[in-house]
Structures are given as structure tokens and as C-alpha cells.
Amino acid sequence: MTAEEIFIKLQASFPGLVKSEERIKDYPTWTVPAQSVRTVCEQLRSGFSFNYLDFITAVDWPGSVGNTVPPAAGRDVFELVYLISALSTGVKICLRCEISRKEPAFIPSLYGVFMAADWQEREVYDLFGIHFEGHPNLKRILTPETQLGYPLRKDYAHVPDSYD
Amino acid sequence: MTQKTSTALKTDQMFINFGPQHPSTHGVLRIALTVEGEVVVKADPDVGYLHRGIEKLFEARNYSQALILTDRLDYISAMHNNLAYCLAVERLAGIHAPLRAQYLRVMAAELNRIASHLVFFGTFGVDMGAFTPFLYAFREREMILDLFEMLCGGRLLYSYIRVGGVSVDIPAGWAEMCREFIIFFKPMLKDYDTLLSFNPVFRDRTVNVGRISASQALTWGLSGPNLRASGPDYDVRKAEPYCVYDKLRFKAAVAQNGSCWDRYYCRMLEMGQSADIVLQCLDALAGPELISGEIMAKGVPKMLKPPAGQAYAHIEASRGDLGFYAVSDASISPYRMHVRGPSFINVAILQEILTGCKIADVVAILGSLDIVLGEVDR
């Protein structure tokens, strides 16, 4: 089954699912409402044999940082990017969703659907401060517990400590 | 151990810090083990001791400066990091490297795969108490490093593969030396088998130890030899051929059992396949259709400014599926660069498979996953 056919079948149950204008080259890219990302992935896994989660990551699009206005001014969102594959057919689909940058930022966790989400969601939490609802062990993974703030946010300011 | 944790444990349970300073962790990995006698009841891998914030550093450098950062991810097979990064940026900017450069890239990557698997072969033997294979492995690896030094000057961190092509063509006499090495190396694989692979003591330590089922391997997102040892035949070189892999003859090494020995042996088989690929590349490079010296795409600016957009490129690196996700805002530095490090994803499964195994097998299982902490922590 091609990505196109899967899209048409899935869109019947998830009207919020749309094709993104901006594609992740060169993969079919769909935008998913944040609250249904877990159910869409469950559907893809059970109904369309998508058995592999390639990666999860996030991109910070702040409305403004200090006096500078970034290229996506006015969006003020976190963009989450998921790439999932059906290894048997070789189809890969990229899912994007946008959530508000207002604290606290929440999105459903994929823990349990794909165990690969365990550490990758912890990484995104650690570096972006996005909370994954339903993750049983959401704590910092790469930075030390004493880390202040979330380093990969565009407005991150390093607070000098005794090692600087 | 604090008062609080010691009372939280049952009287016959013990808490052990495995690492971060321990030769068998191959770097700075800490595993917090709770053991009951000889049996592990809980394992909690703790990473981040080598975190350098490389993904943040990408955002403060231009595209050519950022290339040297990729060397420092998986420093045992730096060519693969260079290659995956360059493919992602080229996809973003719409650059196509010339065919000769593609062959040079594949050849360098496969030589580096042999070097990387030799490090695994040597150190895994040391983990299991066999010191001799280590000396064999490093003797052969040294020859590959000499070849790389002749080729690009670097022995560990190459920055050989550049956006748009490669930095230099092969020097005079290099192809013959490389061919000599492959002819010397291929029979050595049989020696390795007698030395280690079919050594009864080694097999007792690894066969049927740390078994990972196919469904476990898939849901935890394992890749590379770790995934293929459990059965799924997924090799990026076959599934989504990049560079010239669709023109080359090779088989992806697959096993079914998913134990430490299968993961080990998949890598041994891969070395033979890689040697064959290197020979095919050398033949193609000597052929008439590849113009000598045509190693860089024309019109790649010194200061690259890819149009705004997002791209993902992934390759089969020594440790698995290595991907770069790049976001450009049409400025001179990446807006965001995410590295899908296979080691980072491979090491997460430890918390599940270490539970219930004997404490002596922890080293075998960890060693068989072949992680590099530079890529885990980034």
C-alpha cells in the first residue's frame, strides 16, 4: 500500500490529518493535531504494519528572541517531527505536529506504541522542555540534573556555573 | 549508598554502579544495577557523561565548519558521520555529487566499516577474556588507518567527505596498496573464526546469551547488525540505496537467533562483504567512465546557503541507521540539526534485556551491542 492510499484511509477517521505544504525531503509529510498523534501512530502500527520508529525530534520556532525576529515570526510553536516506517513495504512517513510554546508544553507520549520513544522522548524533554503525557520515566537524560533551562530552545541563555 | 536507598532494598539485594569509569563500558556509560546474588533484577543505564551539546553547536557554525563536528560523534567510524551529514545538506541544497566522488565515498565508508568492526572484534574479545584477537584486530586496523592517512591526512577524524563531493582524489599508488590490503585481509577472517568465533570458551559466553527477539528489536528501534542478528533484514544500503550502492553486489548479513554471538557474527560477515565492496569500487575507479579528478560538484559556494526547508538523509553506518535531520532558514548556519545516533537508540534496550541475566553476562550483552559513547551522548 502506498503512502497515498494509507493517507486516504486514515483521513476518514482523523479529519485533522492533512498533508504538509512543507515536506521533509523526500518523504511523504503529514501534519497531525497534537492530541491525536498517539492514536494515529497506533492505527499505523496495527492497521498498516508500521513497525519501526526512526526518530523523534523537535524544532523550536519562537515568535521572537530578544530584539531579533526569527524567520518564522509569529508562529511561536514547537514543531515535533516523527519518522515512522513499515519495514516490510519500505514506506516511510513523516508526521509533524505543532504545539504552543506556552508553558507547560504537552504532547501525548508514544511510549508503549514504540519503545524506541522511551529515550528519544526523554531527550526531547531534556533539550526542549516538552512534556510527554503518559511517559513513565520522563526525566533529564543527556544534561545533568543541575541543568537550568532547556538548551536547544532558541531563547536559551546559559547561566555560568562554577565550571565556567 | 545513602541511608534511604539501602533501606529501600530488600536485605538480599545489592546495588552496584557499573561504570562510568570501567573498561568494559567502552567509554563513560554508567549502569545502575540492582542484583540479587548473581542475578540482575533491575538495570538502569545512565548516559550523558560525554554530552557536548553538538546539536546546539551546529546552530552556531556554518555548513562547512559544522562538518568537523560530525567527526566527533561516532569517532570510531567518522567517515559515516561525514557521509550522512553531507547527504542531508546536499538534499537540502539540491546538490548532486559527481559519480567518481560517490564511488570514493562508498569505498571510504566501507573501509571505515571494516576498521570499526575490527575495533569491535578486538574489544569484544578482551571483554570475554581473550586478549590475542585484539592484537590481530589492531594490526589490520592500523593498515586501514595508514591508507586513510595517505588519502586525506587524518587517522581518526577525517572530514574527507565534503558537501558536494570529497576533498581529494586517491593519490598515486593508493589503489594498489588498498588492493594489497584487501587481498591480505580477506583470508584473515578465517583466522578470526578459529581464534574467536568458534572458540568453545567464547561460544559458551555468548551463544544464547542476551537474546533479543525480532519484535523486541523492532519496537526498541535497534538498527544495523543488532537488528539484523534478530531476523529483520533491514539494511539502509538495500532499503533506500544512497550513493552507488544500487550498482554494487553485496548481501546484508542476517542471523535469526538474536543472541550476543549472532550480533558478533553478523559483524564478522559484514567485514567480508565490505571488503568485496571496496574491491568493486577500486575496479570502478580504475575504469574509463569515471573521469579522474572529478570529485566535487560544480558551483558549490564556499559559504553555503541552502534554501529554507527541511531534509532527512540516513545511511547504514557501522553501528546502524545513522540519520541527519536538517532544517535551514536560508542563512549560513543550520537552523536545527538533529542526529539520529544509532548507538543512542541501541543502548536503551539494555534496561529490558539486562533484567534477569547473570551479572557476568552484563559485559557480554553490552559489548555485543557495540556502542560508542560519543554518539550516545552527542
Side-chain angles (χ1 to χ4, degrees):
Chain A
M1 200 180 285
T2 63
E4 190 63 31
E5 291 161 359
I6 297 167
F7 180 78
I8 292 162
K9 285 204 174 178
L10 264 185
Q11 216 190 16
S13 36
F14 299 100
L17 191 71
V18 287
K19 280 186 194 161
S20 305
E21 290 163 27
E22 192 186 11
R23 281 178 50 187
I24 312 279
K25 292 178 190 170
D26 296 305
Y27 298 99
T29 310
W30 307 344
T31 303
V32 189
Q35 64 276 13
S36 54
V37 64
R38 188 183 164 97
T39 36
V40 168
C41 285
E42 275 171 348
Q43 280 276 317
L44 283 170
R45 188 187 163 88
S46 57
F48 303 94
S49 67
F50 277 76
N51 52 357
Y52 194 78
L53 174 70
D54 280 67
F55 72 89
I56 300 177
T57 192
V59 187
D60 186 14
W61 298 103
S64 64
V65 180
N67 294 325
T68 58
V69 180
R75 277 165 85 187
D76 207 31
V77 290
F78 287 123
E79 175 186 355
L80 278 115
V81 183
Y82 301 82
L83 186 68
I84 53 175
S85 334
L87 294 191
S88 50
T89 55
V91 179
K92 279 188 194 297
I93 287 169
C94 188
L95 300 177
R96 297 169 64 247
C97 37
E98 289 187 354
I99 55 174
S100 163
R101 271 183 105 255
K102 287 198 182 66
E103 295 288 348
F106 276 108
I107 190 150
S109 167
L110 291 192
Y111 187 97
V113 186
F114 298 107
M115 290 310 289
D118 182 357
W119 276 27
Q120 296 191 59
E121 287 180 346
R122 278 178 66 187
E123 186 195 347
V124 173
Y125 164 73
D126 188 359
L127 302 175
F128 286 93
I130 297 167
H131 295 262
F132 289 87
E133 282 174 299
H135 193 294
N137 187 27
L138 198 66
K139 58 182 189 196
R140 286 191 181 272
I141 184 164
L142 293 178
T143 60
E145 297 83 39
T146 51
Q147 171 76 39
L148 299 171
Y150 301 103
L152 278 182
R153 289 190 180 185
K154 290 287 173 183
D155 54 2
Y156 171 73
H158 178 64
V159 181
D161 57 20
S162 56
Y163 299 104
D164 285 307
Chain B
M1 203 191 304
T2 61
Q3 189 68 35
K4 198 177 163 218
T5 46
S6 66
T7 49
L9 298 172
K10 279 194 258 163
T11 47
D12 51 351
Q13 285 193 347
M14 193 163 72
F15 178 81
I16 297 176
N17 259 325
F18 179 68
Q21 303 295 338
H22 187 288
S24 293
T25 59
H26 301 274
V28 277
L29 168 73
R30 170 176 167 259
I31 309 178
L33 294 170
T34 311
V35 294
E36 214 171 276
E38 282 283 298
V39 181
V40 176
V41 291
K42 188 171 181 291
D44 190 9
D46 183 11
V47 301
Y49 291 91
L50 203 60
H51 180 61
R52 294 148 292 172
I54 283 186
E55 289 184 8
K56 187 79 176 175
L57 290 174
F58 275 122
E59 296 171 12
R61 278 162 183 63
N62 66 39
Y63 283 91
S64 27
Q65 290 170 331
L67 176 71
I68 62 116
L69 292 175
T70 64
D71 281 326
R72 276 116 185 119
L73 291 163
D74 177 355
Y75 41 79
I76 308 282
S77 65
M79 285 288 183
H80 292 107
N81 299 290
N82 294 165
L83 178 56
Y85 169 78
C86 290
L87 288 176
V89 175
E90 284 169 10
R91 192 168 280 189
L92 201 56
I95 298 168
H96 297 283
L99 194 59
R100 189 175 178 85
Q102 308 269 19
Y103 273 104
L104 286 168
R105 284 171 170 194
V106 169
M107 187 189 61
E110 294 302 327
L111 274 176
N112 208 170
R113 190 188 312 277
I114 299 175
S116 164
H117 285 353
L118 281 172
V119 173
F120 162 79
F121 164 70
T123 53
F124 192 50
V126 173
D127 286 347
M128 299 294 97
F131 189 71
T132 317
F134 182 80
L135 303 173
Y136 281 67
F138 272 62
R139 182 185 63 187
E140 271 80 273
R141 177 170 179 262
E142 191 64 23
M143 297 174 188
I144 301 181
L145 297 192
D146 286 345
L147 284 171
F148 280 149
E149 195 177 2
M150 263 182 88
L151 183 64
C152 62
R155 289 173 62 83
L156 194 66
L157 311 172
Y158 311 108
S159 296
Y160 171 62
I161 296 167
R162 304 279 168 87
V163 176
V166 295
S167 61
V168 287
D169 206 340
I170 46 175
W174 193 90
E176 291 71 40
M177 271 186 74
C178 185
R179 210 177 278 273
E180 243 170 66
F181 164 73
I182 298 289
I183 291 165
F184 164 79
F185 174 71
K186 282 200 77 177
M188 293 310 292
L189 286 167
K190 288 197 190 73
D191 279 17
Y192 301 161
D193 280 352
T194 35
L195 256 179
L196 196 63
S197 311
F198 297 103
N199 177 316
V201 182
F202 176 74
R203 279 180 65 89
D204 281 350
R205 287 292 310 274
T206 51
V207 174
N208 287 330
V209 170
R211 284 184 68 173
I212 300 173
S213 69
S215 60
Q216 264 180 324
L218 286 170
T219 186
W220 282 95
L222 296 194
S223 52
N226 293 333
L227 175 67
R228 288 193 293 275
S230 297
D233 186 3
Y234 176 61
D235 187 318
V236 184
R237 292 175 293 177
K238 291 279 186 197
E240 267 180 81
Y242 51 93
C243 292
V244 287
Y245 278 108
D246 46 352
K247 295 178 188 153
L248 301 167
R249 294 180 313 278
F250 66 101
K251 287 202 297 276
V254 184
Q256 298 302 326
N257 209 15
S259 72
C260 287
W261 192 82
D262 295 280
R263 286 191 284 280
Y264 160 84
Y265 206 63
C266 265
R267 294 193 175 88
M268 302 307 281
L269 294 175
E270 260 190 25
M271 282 201 270
Q273 295 294 324
S274 295
D276 287 342
I277 297 176
V278 172
L279 283 183
Q280 292 175 45
C281 290
L282 285 173
D283 289 343
L285 286 170
E289 61 269 27
L290 297 182
I291 306 146
S292 180
E294 200 186 61
I295 50 161
M296 205 58 173
K298 289 195 176 64
V300 179
K302 284 219 170 76
M303 199 61 96
L304 200 62
K305 273 190 188 180
Q310 314 190 350
Y312 178 68
H314 63 149
I315 65 162
E316 184 73 21
S318 308
R319 281 160 191 81
D321 183 352
L322 171 71
F324 276 76
Y325 165 68
V327 182
S328 165
D329 60 348
S331 71
I332 56 166
S333 24
Y335 184 78
R336 168 97 175 93
M337 184 72 76
H338 173 69
V339 186
R340 183 222 192 261
S343 293
F344 177 72
I345 297 164
N346 288 346
V347 78
I349 198 175
L350 279 180
Q351 43 190 323
E352 184 164 302
I353 57 170
L354 286 187
T355 311
C357 78
K358 291 279 198 302
I359 197 163
D361 293 337
V362 172
V363 174
I365 295 169
L366 175 62
S368 74
L369 288 179
D370 189 25
I371 54 165
V372 163
L373 270 298
E375 187 177 70
V376 175
D377 295 341
R378 275 161 288 152

